[in-house]
Structure formats: structure tokens, C-alpha cells
Amino acid sequence: MSLTPPGGTITIAGKTVSRLGLGTMRLTGQGTWGDPDDRHQAIRVLRHAVHTHGITHIDTADAYGPHTCEHLIRDALYPYPDDVLIATKVGMVRPAPNMWAPHGHPVYLRASVEASLRRLDTDRLDLCYLHRIDPEVPLADQLGTLQAMQDEGKPVFRQSTTLRPSRSTAAATKPSYGPFSSRSHGPRLGRVTGSVAPETSQSSAQPMM
């Protein structure tokens, strides 16, 4: 692409992308549930963002829909331009519209990564975040599962994350953006500073904040 990236550029997971990215959570039905009312318009939004405005950072999650946005991205942008980075998230389940619950069991996380690869029709996720820390599962087990997939040789992540103690939980420390962080939902590993939002125990489904 020869378009000027909006807001300049930033390096994320080893790839230089537009500083202004496109979040896809609102490209679903009401309550971040199911397909949007106009699926063709959602696809046009994605294509317009990339091919007209030069946005090369697309942020999504398997929980959006659930699964809706990953399908939309595939239908809109595949085959993906070389300069586009798609960041997705795993570790959240959706029992109902507007309801979200963390699910960090290692078996579930592994299955979620594999499912995202299939929905996006790719053999590698440019960037994969732990969507939310599950207070019922040791954090080391959650992050360790994602790291193990990388160590097994699966071309899933571009960059690893180092953990260190910080206050009552952990922090991600990285030169730019690491794969195990959360953009906006609840307890989160900070992207740039490595700070962690205070954790609150939530063992049941909660409305989205």
C-alpha cells in the first residue's frame, strides 16, 4: 500500500503499522452479539479503513459476536495485505448479549487460538492477547499455555512477553507491544508502560464495561 498511515506509524509485534487502528467490537449486533444488521456494510467499513484510509492495525477478539468479527475480517480482507496486522484476543466466553466471563483454562485457550486461526484463514496470528485474566486459573498457567504454543513451533505469535511481580498481580514488560495484554476490558496488562490495572475477582459472567 502507498497510502499515508493515519496518525503516523508505530511498531507492534515487529511490524510497522498505522498508529491509528480500527477496533471491530461495534461491527456486531446489539450487545456485541451476533451479526450486524447490515453485514455488507460492516465489510465495506473494514475494506474502506484499509484500502482508502491506510489503516493497517485491525483489533478484534473471538468474543466479539462471538466469532462474528473474525469472520467479517476474513471475508473483507483475505488475502491479507502484507502490511496489515490483525490482533485478536482469547480467554473470554459469551453466555448472552452484553455478558462476558473470563475463561482461562489452558485447554480452552489452546482451542481458542486454533479456532481463531481457522476463522481468520491464516497459519499465524500476528498478535494474540489474553482478553482478560481469569481469577480462577493461575496467571502463569494462562500465559504459559500461549507461550507453550509458540515454543512448540506453532507460528502463532511474533513476540513474547516477560512477566514480573507488580502490586497484587503481574505486569507485561516489553519493548513495544506484547501479545499477552488486554486493550480495554477489566484487569489488563498495559501495552506500553507495563502497568496493570487493579484486579477484581469475577467468577461469573458480568456485563461489559
Side-chain angles (χ1 to χ4, degrees):
M1 290 184 181
S2 59
L3 298 172
T4 300
T9 61
I10 189 170
T11 299
I12 302 175
K15 179 179 281 192
T16 299
V17 296
S18 59
R19 185 174 292 273
L20 178 64
L22 176 68
T24 62
M25 189 173 79
R26 299 302 180 188
L27 296 180
T28 61
Q30 291 187 0
T32 322
W33 189 261
D35 281 347
D37 292 337
D38 189 338
R39 194 175 190 278
H40 294 295
Q41 177 62 17
I43 288 175
R44 284 194 293 269
V45 167
L46 285 161
R47 290 175 176 167
H48 196 63
V50 173
H51 299 304
T52 301
H53 294 291
I55 292 174
T56 54
H57 175 202
I58 308 297
D59 182 89
T60 192
D62 66 350
Y64 297 165
H67 309 157
T68 299
C69 287
E70 290 183 336
H71 285 301
L72 286 170
I73 289 168
R74 193 274 175 208
D75 291 347
L77 301 177
Y78 187 88
Y80 306 114
D82 291 339
D83 56 352
V84 168
L85 179 146
I86 298 171
T88 194
K89 313 177 193 75
V90 297
M92 189 84 80
V93 293
R94 301 295 311 286
N98 287 319
M99 300 299 291
W100 307 71
H103 190 354
H105 190 282
V107 172
Y108 179 76
L109 292 179
R110 179 176 287 271
S112 296
V113 169
E114 297 285 2
S116 287
L117 287 166
R118 290 192 297 271
R119 282 189 293 271
L120 290 167
D121 199 3
T122 183
D123 61 2
R124 179 180 62 191
L125 299 179
D126 291 327
L127 191 59
C128 186
Y129 298 129
L130 179 61
H131 202 162
R132 190 164 189 166
I133 297 169
D134 185 346
E136 303 300 319
V137 179
L139 179 59
D141 290 351
Q142 297 174 67
L143 300 186
T145 298
L146 301 180
Q147 184 66 56
M149 295 187 75
Q150 184 173 347
D151 293 343
E152 290 165 8
K154 293 181 180 292
V156 175
F157 309 109
R158 291 180 181 271
Q159 182 176 337
S160 62
T161 296
T162 301
L163 297 180
R164 60 174 174 77
S166 176
R167 295 183 297 208
S168 61
T169 179
T173 58
K174 47 209 173 292
S176 54
Y177 286 44
F180 311 133
S181 56
S182 172
R183 187 166 199 178
S184 60
H185 310 317
R188 59 193 183 277
L189 304 180
R191 284 189 168 186
V192 177
T193 64
S195 62
V196 177
E199 182 171 357
T200 56
S201 178
Q202 296 193 13
S203 58
S204 58
Q206 298 291 325
M208 189 67 174
M209 295 183 293

